[in-house]
Amino acid sequence: MPRRRLRFVVSAGPTREHLDDIRFLSSPSSGRMGFAVAAAARRAGHEVVLVAGPVSLPDPPGVRTVRVVSALDMRVAVLAAFRRADALVMTAAVSDYRPARRRAGKWKKGAARLSLPLVRNPDILAEAGRRRGRRVCVGFAVEVAAPLRAARGKIRRKHLDALCLCSPEAFSADRADYRILFPDRELERYPWIRKGAFAGRLVDLVEELAARG
Ligand code: CTP
């Protein structure tokens, strides 16, 4: 059977939450997983919008790549593309908090000790999940201690079809241990798999979930 051409939105990389014009809070996410998913979806014939935080990877060929910096920017770009999409794959390591205030220029040092007020960023995936209708929604989470219960809670709270759990090496290595959790079926294990290979599996999964409707 020919594949149905789907419209994918994929997010990738970290976000940067600026304290001033130079410094920021962020994470070491390389963006490689999201770029691999975007490229695999494109190769499979789908239309892809890739919303990427600051990473050093080039735009994948044939993919509309939107470059953003902060979680607030990412939210606007992802939700705009999501409106006319069939599937969202949210691999981005979105910063949960941002400094309450961004200072202009360079923040000069002063006191020996400093507290920094932070405010919560919106949860982009949860927001998309609430208005998903029949769209497919897949999330990612880095796995630490006792992850399964927390992961099942995230699937429910964010209205996901699947949540990919990865080991912490996923931030820096080309391979990692991945597991896919579902609301309604057995988990799938992909030990020490290359990100490119896992991306291919995810595209197949999204096609399957979209066909189920
Ligand atoms: N995510 C998001 N917006 C945020 C935080 C996370 O869209 N502000 C997405 C991530 O891209 C990922 C999924 O939610 O696909 C899970 O991220 P994670 O940080 O594990 O979830 P949180 O809900 O932030 O839970 P925790 O308190 O464990 O950090």
Side-chain angles (χ1 to χ4, degrees), residues 3 35-48 60-63 195-197 199-200 203 207:
R3 295 173 192 248
F35 276 63
V37 173
R42 181 70 200 108
R43 277 196 305 274
H46 301 297
E47 191 185 311
V48 186
V63 167
K195 289 181 178 176
V203 171
E207 289 173 1

Side-chain angles (χ1 to χ4, degrees), residues 10-15 29 34 51-53 74 78 89-95 124 140:
V10 182
S11 72
T15 64
S29 166
V51 180
M74 183 172 278
V78 166
V89 180
M90 195 77 198
T91 77
V94 183
S95 177
I124 304 167
F140 272 70

Side-chain angles (χ1 to χ4, degrees), residues 11 71 90-96 121-126 138-142 154 157-158 160 163:
S11 72
M90 195 77 198
T91 77
V94 183
S95 177
D96 286 324
N121 272 327
D123 189 318
I124 304 167
L125 183 57
V138 178
F140 272 70
V142 175
K154 274 179 204 178
R157 269 200 319 281
K158 305 196 188 200
L160 304 181
L163 180 68

Side-chain angles (χ1 to χ4, degrees), residues 128-155:
R130 278 196 297 276
R131 46 177 102 154
R132 56 173 285 182
R134 296 163 75 89
R135 299 176 186 87
V136 174
C137 288
V138 178
F140 272 70
V142 175
E143 167 182 334
V144 274
L148 286 187
R149 254 190 69 195
R152 295 204 187 286
K154 274 179 204 178
I155 289 188

